[in-house]
Amino acid sequence: QLVESGGGLVQAGGSLRLSCAASGFTFDDYALGWFRQAPGKEREGVACMTRGKRTSNINTIYANSVQGRFTISSDDAKNLVYLQMNSLKPEDTAVYYCAAAYLAPPSLRPKFMDYWGEGTQVTVSS
């Protein structure tokens, strides 16, 4: 089960941190990612990560639109995946989803994800 939290309303230039509680997942076995969907648009990948059994095995990928502003990370002890979002822009407004793919490389393509959360709304005002 994936449950997102941390969404809300923020002014442009502000920051938010999204959290995803991933119960029943062994982080070593899953690609864990964040996706978003704005009204009238297709769902798109934002960031995705995989981690092996050692921190040296962590791989992350980001959409060009968020590179340098967003950071994906995880806390294995708490089974949490985070998305730190800085320098937010109005075009970042969307429902943000946490997703997982079993034994997969990191991907920004929604069709490769096996499990999805319900989403959390992020609204950035100008």
Side-chain angles (χ1 to χ4, degrees):
Q1 184 181 17
L2 299 170
V3 180
E4 303 92 338
S5 62
L9 174 64
V10 63
Q11 288 189 331
S15 298
L16 278 176
R17 189 178 76 162
L18 305 183
S19 298
C20 173
S23 59
F25 291 86
T26 303
F27 280 15
D28 293 351
D29 295 335
Y30 287 85
L32 299 163
W34 288 95
F35 295 74
R36 66 186 182 186
Q37 188 166 17
K41 294 188 176 181
E42 293 187 353
R43 192 169 298 187
E44 62 176 1
V46 174
C48 192
M49 67 179 295
T50 57
R51 68 179 313 282
K53 298 185 183 300
R54 295 174 292 188
T55 55
S56 59
N57 293 341
I58 294 175
N59 291 310
T60 58
I61 57 173
Y62 296 93
N64 290 338
S65 59
V66 306
Q67 182 78 45
R69 299 189 297 123
F70 290 11
T71 303
I72 187 171
S73 63
S74 66
D75 184 333
D76 294 5
K78 298 180 180 179
N79 264 40
L80 291 170
V81 183
Y82 301 108
L83 184 68
Q84 178 66 45
M85 305 186 295
N86 299 328
S87 302
L88 283 161
K89 305 175 181 180
E91 51 263 43
D92 294 319
T93 295
V95 177
Y96 283 71
Y97 298 90
C98 180
Y102 182 61
L103 294 180
S107 174
L108 298 178
R109 303 183 69 177
K111 70 176 186 179
F112 291 146
M113 296 292 122
D114 300 316
Y115 304 96
W116 292 88
E118 295 294 318
T120 185
Q121 176 70 47
V122 171
T123 303
V124 184
S125 63
S126 57

